[in-house]
């Protein structure tokens, strides 16, 4: 039975996937007639699907008329690779959450911004209310300050030149020189803390991690009433960060 004869409601999807499989087998491209023949599709059907796939970026038409995979698929592969990497460290973050009954966070410094990649929380370990995005609050979070501590002077200045140090709570540091002084003189280095600087009633401790050459941070947040546990959590975070870095740096 040819592909076009399959009597199902998702035949068009099956045809498109089959077409993508065949296109991917031709690194230098293949014309529509060849693709139609190899997929078992009628030529008009192949042309119609190819036009749709080209329009949506999944296939690209070459000047000589051949077809190759498009940029959209590469983006999907990149996203999928990132999700695969994160799946390797979620159990570690969950273990932190369960051990300390505290939400665990993972961030990365990407394209000049500090971005949250993963949060593992639960009913007994709720995440902090992200009322201000981390991209605009790096100066007020342990996760953001951990990243800033690891950046060189030029990268720090560049970041701070683009981000106003917004006053989020009465404890927020809004002076760049003072912020850098405290980061560099952290008594628990390489860890840094956020003592109700992002949200009143919440404290956080974070340490640096890496995914290949990408800098990030690993941390946990908990109610300010449990501040006395921060030293214990910091000691646990340091070897955990080493393990997370190792898992994130494996080649997929």
């Amino acid at each position: 039975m040819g592909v076009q004869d399959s009597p199902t409601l998702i035949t068009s999807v099956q045809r498109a996937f089959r077409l993508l499989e065949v296109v991917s087998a031709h690194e230098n491209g293949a014309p529509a007639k060849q693709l139609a023949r190899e997929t078992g599709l009628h030529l008009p059907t192949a042309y119609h699907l190819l036009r749709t796939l080209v329009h949506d970026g999944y296939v690209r038409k070459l000047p000589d008329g051949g077809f190759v995979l498009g940029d959209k698929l590469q983006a999907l592969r990149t996203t999928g690779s990132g999700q695969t990497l994160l799946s390797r460290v979620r159990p570690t973050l969950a273990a932190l959450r369960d051990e300390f009954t505290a939400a665990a966070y993972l961030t990365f410094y990407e394209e000049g911004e500090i971005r949250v990649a993963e949060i593992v929380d639960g009913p007994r370990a709720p995440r902090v209310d992200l009322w201000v995005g981390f991209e605009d609050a790096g100066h007020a979070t342990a996760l953001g300050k951990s990243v800033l501590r690891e950046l060189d002077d030029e990268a720090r200045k560049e970041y701070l030149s683009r981000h106003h140090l917004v006053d989020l709570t009465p404890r927020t540091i809004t002076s760049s020189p003072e912020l850098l002084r405290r980061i560099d003189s952290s008594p628990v280095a390489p860890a840094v803390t956020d003592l109700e600087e992002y949200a009143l009633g919440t404290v956080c401790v974070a340490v640096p991690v890496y995914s290949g050459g990408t800098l990030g941070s690993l941390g946990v947040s908990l109610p300010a009433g449990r501040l006395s546990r921060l030293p214990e959590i910091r000691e646990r975070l340091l070897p955990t960060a080493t393990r997370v870095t190792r898992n994130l740096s494996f080649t997929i």
Side-chain angles (χ1 to χ4, degrees):
M1 180 184 292
V3 175
Q4 65 271 19
D5 298 323
S6 180
T8 71
L9 296 177
I10 57 172
T11 298
S12 293
V13 176
Q14 291 175 318
R15 290 169 175 170
F17 282 144
R18 176 59 184 148
L19 194 56
L20 287 172
E21 290 174 355
V22 173
V23 170
S24 70
H26 296 279
E27 185 176 345
N28 296 318
K33 288 184 178 180
Q34 181 179 351
L35 296 172
R37 183 172 62 254
E38 294 181 9
T39 56
L41 293 170
H42 294 307
L43 186 56
T45 300
Y47 272 128
H48 174 73
L49 289 173
L50 286 168
R51 281 196 299 269
T52 301
L53 292 169
V54 168
H55 178 269
D56 290 340
Y58 293 104
V59 169
R60 180 163 56 91
K61 187 174 184 179
L62 300 174
D64 64 3
F67 293 89
V68 295
L69 294 180
D71 295 336
K72 193 73 166 285
L73 279 179
Q74 181 58 45
L76 287 175
R77 279 199 291 263
T78 300
T79 301
S81 296
Q83 287 299 317
T84 300
L85 282 173
L86 287 177
S87 71
R88 294 176 177 175
V89 300
R90 285 191 186 104
T92 302
L93 270 63
L96 279 175
R97 175 201 61 195
D98 295 342
E99 181 177 354
F100 296 109
T101 317
Y105 307 78
L106 181 67
T107 73
F108 291 116
Y109 187 62
E110 299 174 317
E111 299 178 346
E113 300 295 345
I114 300 167
R115 293 170 176 159
V116 178
E118 190 67 39
I119 302 176
V120 177
D121 57 358
R124 297 178 59 240
R127 69 184 65 186
V128 65
D129 179 14
L130 303 179
W131 68 288
V132 176
F134 271 43
E135 291 185 8
D136 297 317
H139 65 292
T141 67
L143 292 153
K145 291 193 288 183
S146 176
V147 169
L148 289 173
R149 184 181 183 279
E150 300 303 310
L151 294 176
D152 60 34
D153 289 342
E154 183 177 350
R156 284 177 172 181
K157 290 178 182 177
E158 195 279 332
Y159 175 87
L160 293 172
S161 71
R162 295 183 288 105
H163 296 81
H164 180 61
L165 304 191
V166 182
D167 187 3
L168 302 179
T169 80
R171 296 177 178 270
T172 306
I173 303 169
T174 57
S175 163
S176 294
E178 179 64 12
L179 175 67
L180 296 178
R181 186 190 69 78
R182 293 200 191 184
I183 290 174
D184 289 335
S185 61
S186 172
V188 293
V192 293
T193 58
D194 150 24
L195 304 180
E196 300 185 83
E197 297 161 47
Y198 176 77
L200 290 176
T202 300
V203 296
C204 180
V205 58
V207 295
V209 295
Y210 286 86
S211 176
T214 301
L215 170 64
S217 58
L218 170 70
V220 299
S221 67
L222 59 163
R226 297 169 59 201
L227 177 63
S228 61
R229 296 207 70 184
L230 282 189
E232 175 191 359
I233 295 173
R234 178 183 67 89
E235 292 302 318
R236 178 76 167 82
L237 277 177
L238 293 171
T240 301
T242 299
R243 185 162 62 253
V244 167
T245 292
R246 184 168 59 248
N247 288 336
L248 288 173
S249 297
F250 285 154
T251 301
I252 298 176

